[in-house]
Amino acid sequence: MFTMKLRKASAAAAAAIVLSITATACGGDGDSDSNSGSGGGDKIKIGIKYDQPGLGLKEPGGYSGFDVDVATYVAKELGYEPNQIEWVETKSADRENALARGDVKFIAATYSITDERKQKVDFAGPYLLAHQDLLVKTDSDITEATDLNGKNLCSVQGSTSAQNVKNDFAPKANLKENGTYSECLAGLQSGAVDALTTDDSILAGYAAQEQYKGKFKLAGLKLSNENYGIGVKKGDTETVNKINAALEKMVKEKAWDKAVTDNFGPANYKNEPAPKIGVIVK
């Protein structure tokens, strides 16, 4: 009888182990990654810029900027609270690789949608239509790109923006290339340069910094169209669709307008209305 009871106990224990293994297999390994959500994942990794005030900026107290606000809203719609977001710096040259490697779930980092990039990644959005513009002093008489002939124009090394101005509008402009936009701003403030050029959203972000408030203005030119999209790993259509739905909701709830005002307002940024999902302005 004792032997029979022992066999029954062993059979029950074995059955419990099988059930435990089966439940674990069905429920996953318990180690959540950036593909989890809706309360089931610990973290989501999102790529942003760390050095663009008003868009994506790493500060002692955390992260700020329009891209950060958009990404935070999208993440919440995907099921993640702000404290579940792990921000990852994704520099321009590494964005496609970061998505391909799976380093991040998506990227919101002044990522203009282009045909070339769409060969490597998928895009949700666009969520902002920016334009190449000029940043000048508030009392500047520069109102057109042609006014830069004979004047000093600044941008960062390797930028195509400044070269576009020289090639298409002001061939006699004196081009000065610095390592950072902050150096250009210092030159603009001192009078060493007459204008700084890049996307108007980036210019507005820098001009909105506390130390520069009221000192600079955007010329209000539209020298190019830059459709900012949210980059997603190639083939991840499900995530693209979810992000697009989140962006549409953000616009509908006026959270998009608030993010624009909060981040660009001090620079008197004349933003375009929220773009329609899937509509690329050439």
Side-chain angles (χ1 to χ4, degrees):
M1 186 177 293
F2 177 77
T3 304
M4 185 179 295
K5 288 182 178 179
L6 181 60
R7 286 175 180 170
K8 287 181 179 179
S10 299
I17 293 172
V18 171
L19 286 172
S20 175
I21 294 172
T22 303
T24 302
C26 292
D29 59 11
D31 293 329
S32 302
D33 59 18
S34 61
N35 292 321
S36 302
S38 300
D42 293 332
K43 295 287 184 180
I44 181 171
K45 294 181 179 180
I46 302 175
I48 58 169
K49 293 288 183 68
Y50 276 14
D51 59 350
Q52 288 185 337
L55 287 154
L57 183 66
K58 183 179 181 181
E59 301 180 283
Y63 302 85
S64 66
F66 181 74
D67 284 346
V68 173
D69 288 349
V70 170
T72 300
Y73 187 99
V74 168
K76 187 170 181 62
E77 291 301 304
L78 295 181
Y80 297 90
E81 296 300 323
N83 62 2
Q84 292 178 286
I85 297 173
E86 182 178 334
W87 301 109
V88 179
E89 182 178 22
T90 48
K91 297 182 179 181
S92 296
D94 194 45
R95 287 179 295 205
E96 288 82 17
N97 291 332
L99 288 170
R101 291 191 303 261
D103 295 348
V104 293
K105 184 66 173 177
F106 64 82
I107 294 176
T110 59
Y111 205 178
S112 296
I113 301 172
T114 67
D115 291 337
E116 181 181 2
R117 288 171 178 164
K118 285 194 292 185
Q119 300 301 312
K120 301 177 182 178
V121 303
D122 286 338
F123 284 99
Y127 65 93
L128 183 73
L129 176 59
H131 307 283
Q132 184 183 341
D133 200 355
L134 303 176
L135 188 71
V136 296
K137 282 188 172 182
T138 52
D139 60 354
S140 174
D141 58 359
I142 295 175
T143 59
E144 300 291 342
T146 53
D147 294 336
L148 290 169
N149 280 309
K151 296 188 177 181
N152 296 322
L153 173 66
C154 190
S155 196
V156 296
Q157 294 170 350
S159 168
T160 58
S161 299
Q163 201 59 52
N164 288 342
V165 172
K166 275 189 66 71
N167 292 343
D168 301 333
F169 302 101
K172 295 182 180 180
N174 302 313
L175 178 58
K176 295 181 178 292
E177 293 182 298
N178 287 327
T180 66
Y181 289 118
S182 295
E183 292 176 79
C184 286
L185 278 168
L188 186 59
Q189 187 171 11
S190 69
V193 298
D194 300 294
L196 163 61
T197 188
T198 188
D199 295 357
D200 53 6
S201 57
I202 297 174
L203 295 174
Y206 276 99
Q209 290 181 283
E210 190 64 37
Q211 67 268 36
Y212 297 130
K213 285 182 180 178
K215 296 181 179 180
F216 306 125
K217 66 179 180 181
L218 292 166
L221 308 180
K222 297 180 179 180
L223 305 179
S224 71
N225 295 321
E226 306 296 335
N227 300 269
Y228 290 174
I230 293 181
V232 176
K233 187 175 183 178
K234 190 70 177 175
D236 190 356
T237 305
E238 181 181 359
T239 298
V240 169
N241 292 338
K242 288 181 178 179
I243 293 176
N244 281 336
L247 292 174
E248 289 176 340
K249 184 177 179 181
M250 186 179 186
V251 172
K252 185 177 181 180
E253 292 183 345
K254 304 297 183 183
W256 186 91
D257 294 308
K258 184 179 185 302
V260 170
T261 301
D262 289 348
N263 293 289
F264 303 129
N268 196 31
Y269 177 52
K270 302 293 192 302
N271 65 283
E272 296 278 6
K276 300 294 183 183
I277 297 300
V279 178
I280 307 300
V281 180
K282 298 295 187 179

